Amino acid sequence: MPDLLSHAFIAYTLCTLLALRYEWVFPQYVTVGMAGAFIPDLAKIELVLDDAVVGNALGLPFAWSGLHTLGGAAVSVLIGVILVRPAERTRVGGLLALGAASHLTVDTFLLKASGRSYSVFWPLTQYVPPTPGLYLSTDLWPSVATGMAAFVTWVIVRRGVGCRK
């Protein structure tokens, strides 16, 4: 599943570069940012648990696809924030949000037959932005490119280049 791996690499790279600038971004917070990148793909739970089953159980219309939007990611981030100690909430919330935002942003570049992305900004708007169609979620090259960026970032950090003293 190169798509999910690419999201992990992107979040790792972003959070690790933030760690070079901000002292409070410890390695465990880089992991939190990577976890945030997985939030929008929680919508894939539909492969195991159908929308209709959940909707019938709740007695309400229901769709897992809402998790793969700005509103769904925001609610998921807030749930993650209340699960940690109050002193950690700002940091965890920011990094979960960064990871989720990077995921949603990168997914707007997916190649779609319609030439349009998806309602990424829902519930603020139903607008479906056009997509440049840079890659398919099944393409291997995004994972290779983002993996190389993550590796270079890892090397930079391990060698101490640009690190705070």
Side-chain angles (χ1 to χ4, degrees):
M1 179 175 258
D3 181 41
L4 192 57
L5 183 60
S6 297
H7 291 302
F9 285 149
I10 291 167
Y12 172 82
T13 302
L14 289 173
C15 293
T16 301
L17 291 174
L18 279 176
L20 292 176
R21 175 72 172 96
Y22 300 103
E23 289 183 12
W24 59 267
V25 184
F26 300 119
Q28 61 265 34
Y29 292 118
V30 172
T31 306
V32 168
M34 292 171 67
F38 299 148
I39 287 174
D41 275 346
L42 290 174
K44 291 183 181 175
I45 198 168
E46 179 184 12
L47 298 171
V48 178
L49 189 59
D50 192 56
D51 292 345
V53 173
V54 178
N56 287 337
L58 295 174
L60 299 167
F62 185 83
W64 288 110
S65 60
L67 291 171
H68 203 279
T69 64
L70 180 65
V75 169
S76 299
V77 166
L78 291 174
I79 291 169
V81 165
I82 64 170
L83 295 176
V84 297
R85 293 181 303 152
E88 303 293 320
R89 288 184 178 161
T90 303
R91 294 175 184 182
V92 168
L95 291 168
L96 283 175
L98 175 66
S102 71
H103 182 125
L104 293 172
T105 301
V106 170
D107 276 1
T108 62
F109 295 108
L110 282 166
L111 177 63
K112 303 277 183 140
S114 67
R116 309 294 271 168
S117 187
Y118 63 99
S119 298
V120 68
F121 302 112
W122 183 87
L124 300 177
T125 179
Q126 293 283 338
Y127 176 67
V128 179
T131 178
L134 297 180
Y135 65 96
L136 294 169
S137 63
T138 55
D139 285 347
L140 212 45
W141 74 264
S143 293
V144 173
T146 57
M148 288 176 21
F151 178 73
V152 167
T153 303
W154 179 81
V155 168
I156 288 170
V157 169
R158 295 298 173 255
R159 305 254 176 177
V161 177
C163 288
R164 56 188 178 265
K165 300 290 180 195

